[in-house]
Amino acid sequence: MTDEEFMRDVLQRIATGPTLSKDLPREDATRAMQIILDGKADEVQAGIFFIALRMKRETNDELIGILDAINSSILPLQVNIDELLTIVDPYDGYLRSSPSSPFLPAVLAACGQRVLTHGLESMGPKFGATHHAVLHAAGYKLPSNRQEVASALENKRIGWSYASQQLLAPKLAALSALRTRIVKRPSLTTIEVAINSIVPGGSSHLVTGFVHKPYPPIYASLAAAAGFSSTLVVRGVEGGVVPSLSQPARYFASVGEEELLQVDICPKDIGINRSERAVPLPATLHSDSIRSVKAPENPFADELATYSANLGIRALNAEEGYTRDSLVYAAAIILHGRCLTQSMPEAADRVREVLDNGSALAHFEADN
C-alpha cells in the first residue's frame, strides 16, 4: 500500500464519528506519523489525523505509536554523564500565575543532578509564558545546537541546559504552524514530553506535571516506551511540575513499566504556608481581558515572562517569596521522589541551602 493509500485508509478508520471510529494498532499510528513527519501527507490530511484522534480519544497504543515515529526521526546524541533528569512543563506555558520552574534545573544542578528541560518559544492553545521566553528574559544564552546542550550538561559548573524542540526533534517542531491552525490541543501536546534524544551513559529519568486524573499512567507508559528508566508525575499548577503552595497535592512515581505509586504531599510539611496556590500575578497583569488573549505573539505572555524572570533571579539570590517557595517545594519533591533523600524536610533543607549559599545562582550564570 502506498503512503497516500495508507493515509486514506487510516483516516477512514479514525474519522467516522465517536461511535463508529476504529482504534489504530501501534504500528499503524507509527507509520501514519512517519508519513506526516516526512512531509508526505498534505496538511489537510495531517490536521484531520490529529483532530480525529482527539475526537475519538487516543488509545495508549496510538500515543506510543506516534511517539515511536517521533523518536525514530531523531538522531540520539550521547553525553558523557551517568544520569540525566529531564523536566518538562506544558509547552504552551503559563497565563494564570508566574512560572518559577524555568529556574528549577539550575537549582537541581546545584544539588548534584544533571538536568535537561525542553520546549518551544510559543505554542497554542494558551500561548503563555514558556520556559524558553522566561529564560531568554532572564539573560540565559539559549543553545544554538545540540552540542552546546551536551557541553552544558557535561560541565560540572553548569550541569543543566534548556533545549528547544527545533534542536531535539526538528521534524516535530516543523509542525508548530499546523498545530496553531488546529487550535485545540492535539495528541502531540501529551506525547512531546517524552522526546528522548539526549542519551547519558547510564539512565534517564522523566519529570512532568498533570492536572487531569487519567494522565499519570499515560505519561508513565510514554516514558517507558521512550526508554526512560523512571517517571515522576506531579499534580501541578497549570499542569506544570510545581504543586499548589496552599493545599495538599500528590505525585506519582514509577520505575520502568511497574505500577505507579501515589505519594500525598503537603507544603506545610516543609514549612511552606501560603494563601495563594502559585506565584501571584502583579496588579498590572491581572486583567482577565488581557490574560484571555490566547493567540500567537501574545503581549501578555511577553510581559509575564519578563516579570517571572525578574522574580526567578531574585529567588536565586536568596530572596524570600513565592518563587523561592515554589523552587524549594518542586525541587524537594524531585529529590525525595527519586529516593535521593530520606524525607521531604531533608530535601527541602538541601534546596534552601543551595539557594542561600549562592550555588544555585552560580549554576544558572555559569554559561551566561
Side-chain angles (χ1 to χ4, degrees):
M1 192 182 296
T2 67
D3 287 342
E4 183 177 353
E5 291 169 339
F6 180 78
M7 286 302 297
R8 285 179 60 86
D9 176 66
V10 163
L11 297 182
Q12 286 172 343
R13 280 185 274 163
I14 66 174
T16 317
T19 58
L20 296 177
S21 293
K22 298 178 177 62
D23 297 332
L24 298 176
R26 178 173 174 175
E27 58 271 19
D28 284 3
T30 299
R31 182 178 174 186
M33 189 62 192
Q34 286 172 334
I35 292 170
I36 293 170
L37 289 170
D38 291 340
K40 296 178 180 178
D42 63 47
E43 287 197 337
V44 173
Q45 288 181 321
I48 293 172
F49 177 76
F50 294 122
I51 293 169
L53 286 176
R54 178 180 170 86
M55 293 293 288
K56 77 167 190 64
R57 297 187 179 181
E58 306 93 339
T59 66
N60 266 11
D61 277 351
E62 288 166 342
L63 293 172
I64 293 172
I66 293 171
L67 176 63
D68 288 341
I70 293 169
N71 278 329
S72 68
S73 74
I74 297 168
L75 180 63
L77 178 64
Q78 296 286 334
V79 289
N80 188 26
I81 57 177
D82 292 332
E83 288 191 330
L84 178 62
L85 178 64
T86 298
I87 300 175
V88 191
D89 262 357
Y91 269 42
D92 59 358
Y94 290 75
L95 288 178
R96 298 188 295 275
S97 60
S98 176
S100 56
S101 48
F103 299 92
L104 190 54
V107 174
L108 288 166
C111 295
Q113 304 300 294
R114 302 299 175 99
V115 188
L116 173 72
T117 184
H118 55 81
L120 285 165
E121 182 176 3
S122 180
M123 176 52 65
K126 284 168 65 175
F127 298 101
T130 61
H131 278 223
H132 186 116
V134 173
L135 290 170
H136 178 69
Y140 173 68
K141 181 183 175 184
L142 297 164
S144 59
N145 57 65
R146 293 198 306 167
Q147 191 53 55
E148 289 182 3
V149 173
S151 296
L153 292 172
E154 292 171 347
N155 188 328
K156 290 183 179 180
R157 293 189 309 107
I158 305 170
W160 73 280
S161 184
Y162 168 84
S164 71
Q165 192 179 86
Q166 287 93 338
L167 298 184
L168 296 185
K171 288 187 176 182
L172 176 59
L175 299 178
S176 294
L178 173 64
R179 294 171 64 175
T180 297
R181 291 195 290 277
I182 288 174
V183 180
K184 300 299 288 183
R185 285 184 175 89
S187 56
L188 298 178
T189 304
T190 302
I191 295 164
E192 62 198 351
V193 304
I195 293 172
N196 192 13
S197 66
I198 307 295
V199 183
S203 56
S204 290
H205 307 272
L206 178 65
V207 177
T208 192
F210 78 100
V211 173
H212 304 296
K213 290 181 180 179
Y215 278 90
I218 293 172
Y219 283 129
S221 294
L222 288 168
F228 289 97
S229 298
S230 71
T231 318
L232 196 153
V233 190
V234 183
R235 191 178 192 280
V237 175
E238 296 196 56
V241 299
V242 182
S244 168
L245 300 177
S246 63
Q247 57 193 16
R250 68 185 67 92
Y251 69 83
F252 294 84
S254 73
V255 177
E257 298 185 40
E258 294 181 14
E259 182 178 354
L260 287 174
L261 172 68
Q262 177 179 321
V263 180
D264 296 321
I265 50 177
C266 183
K268 292 181 180 180
D269 293 342
I270 56 170
I272 296 173
N273 188 11
R274 294 289 182 177
S275 58
E276 299 281 349
R277 296 176 66 244
V279 184
L281 298 175
T284 54
L285 297 179
H286 218 280
S287 167
D288 286 337
S289 62
I290 296 174
R291 193 166 63 245
S292 64
V293 172
K294 293 185 180 179
E297 300 180 9
N298 185 350
F300 173 87
D302 292 338
E303 293 181 47
L304 179 55
T306 299
Y307 176 74
S308 302
N310 179 264
L311 289 182
I313 294 298
R314 285 157 56 183
L316 294 182
N317 274 290
E319 181 174 306
E320 299 282 346
Y322 273 91
T323 299
R324 174 188 169 95
D325 283 352
S326 296
L327 291 172
V328 169
Y329 196 16
I333 289 167
I334 293 169
L335 292 175
H336 184 54
R338 296 201 55 234
C339 301
L340 299 174
T341 63
Q342 293 185 350
S343 69
M344 279 287 291
E346 178 190 341
D349 287 345
R350 174 66 180 130
V351 179
R352 290 186 176 105
E353 178 184 3
V354 301
L355 287 170
D356 291 339
N357 66 20
S359 60
L361 178 64
H363 278 269
F364 184 82
E365 294 182 336
D367 198 33
N368 297 329

